[in-house]
Structure formats: C-alpha cells, structure tokens
Amino acid sequence: MAAGALTAEEILAATEGVLRRYGPAKATVVDVARALGVSHGSVYRHFPTKAALRAAVTRRWLDRNHAGLAELAAEDSPAPERLRRWLAALFEAKRRKALDDPELFATYTVLAGESDTVVAEHIDALLGEIALIIADGVAQGAFAPCDPQVTARAVLDATGRFHNPLYAAEWSAPEIDTAFGAVCSLVLAGLRATG
C-alpha cells in the first residue's frame, strides 16, 4: 500500500485486527504498520503516538456501537417511551458486543481504561441525549420539573448495571431482562409529574 493512499480509517480498521490478534498488551504500532504493508512512520503521520492511535480506535468503537442512540433521543415521541427505548438500545448494544465477541469487548474495556478523555466525551454525549429526552418530558408534562442535566446523570447512574462494562458478566443471566425492566419502571416512575 502506498503511504500517500493510507487513510486514518484504514489504520483504525487494521488496528482493530491487530488488537484482536495480539491483545492490547502486546499490540504495537509496528504490528499495525506491518498489517498495512507500510512503515510505522506512515501510521505516525496520522496518529502521532501509540496512545493517540489507541484513543482513536476506542472512539471509533464506541461511536460505532452506540450508533442510533442520538437519533432515538431526538425523536418526536412521548418522552417516557423514548427514554425506555433509549435505555434498552444502550443495554442491548453493550450486551451484544460483550456476548457476541467477549475477547474484543475485553480488549476495548482495557483501551477505554487508558482513554479517560475518550470515555468522558462518550459519557457526556450519552448524558446529553438523556437530558434531551428528560427536557422534552418536562415540556410535555410527562416528567416533573427538574434540572435535565442533573437528572440525566442520576438516570445513567441508576442504570449502570446495564451498560457499565464492569457488570458484563451479569448480562447473560436469565433474570437480567426482568431486572432491567424493573429498574426502567422505577426510573420512569421517579421522573413522572405528579398531579
């Protein structure tokens, strides 16, 4: 591959393959360059450090696995229904990745631990989507008046068992869907406007 034709997306795709093959502890920029058939300097032209490359591949993975959440948050539908569907979509995206490809999920969990800024940006985006739904719910009269940002944080914290990778081992338990439904119902009941 000619170095001039190399794109950041090609590097990220190759990095994912290298991470899958060697794991996060052993994967190197040289391995990525070798997989692409270029010098490691070609990779460094796009990503100045190994940490920058790992952060970029983590961001790409998070964005790809949470595609559709922003659109769901922005839908014009009743906020309680939309919040439940949004939380279910987040849980399903995380669970699918953890159960369908546990080795790669574990790899990205390690990378996310190295990328505080990427994870913080991701959480901020999730909080913004929840806050949008909550603000709509308040405007619709479905949710009690509140600070949408503070309440969004409370909702994300309350549902952590269903999206935080620390709980991934529980996501295949037979009772997990019942537990998820119960937590969603409790959260929505807490948000409802009282008459």
Side-chain angles (χ1 to χ4, degrees):
M1 172 178 291
L6 187 63
T7 68
E9 187 58 32
E10 289 169 329
I11 294 169
L12 295 175
T15 302
E16 188 170 290
V18 167
L19 287 166
R20 182 183 292 281
R21 193 172 318 124
Y22 300 114
K26 295 183 181 177
T28 67
V29 174
V30 172
D31 294 326
V32 173
R34 189 176 303 121
L36 290 164
V38 300
S39 72
H40 64 282
S42 297
V43 175
Y44 283 125
R45 279 189 203 78
H46 290 275
F47 301 97
T49 64
K50 179 180 177 180
L53 176 59
R54 290 166 76 104
V57 80
T58 302
R59 182 177 289 110
R60 176 180 181 255
W61 185 76
L62 287 169
D63 291 347
R64 193 173 58 214
N65 291 310
H66 298 107
L69 288 177
E71 293 79 8
L72 182 57
E75 282 182 3
D76 185 22
S77 62
E81 168 194 316
R82 194 173 359 139
L83 183 56
R84 183 181 291 272
R85 287 188 298 118
W86 189 94
L87 290 168
L90 177 64
F91 178 36
E92 189 52 36
K94 294 279 188 163
R95 177 166 53 178
R96 186 174 52 249
K97 286 299 173 189
L99 300 180
D100 291 352
D101 196 345
E103 291 166 351
L104 194 59
F105 185 80
T107 294
Y108 279 102
T109 300
V110 169
L111 292 181
E114 297 173 357
S115 304
D116 291 344
T117 303
V118 172
V119 172
E121 290 168 1
H122 173 67
I123 290 171
D124 284 347
L126 296 178
L127 288 170
E129 292 166 14
I130 298 170
L132 172 65
I133 298 170
I134 290 170
D136 286 352
V138 171
Q140 294 168 358
F143 295 155
C146 63
D147 179 328
Q149 295 296 329
V150 171
T151 306
R153 172 49 84 178
V155 169
L156 196 65
D157 290 347
T159 58
R161 180 180 180 201
F162 308 102
H163 56 79
N164 187 320
L166 294 174
Y167 296 96
E170 298 179 14
W171 296 344
S172 60
E175 68 280 356
I176 197 69
D177 289 318
T178 301
F180 174 75
V183 169
C184 281
S185 294
L186 183 64
V187 165
L188 289 167
L191 289 170
R192 283 198 184 95
T194 56

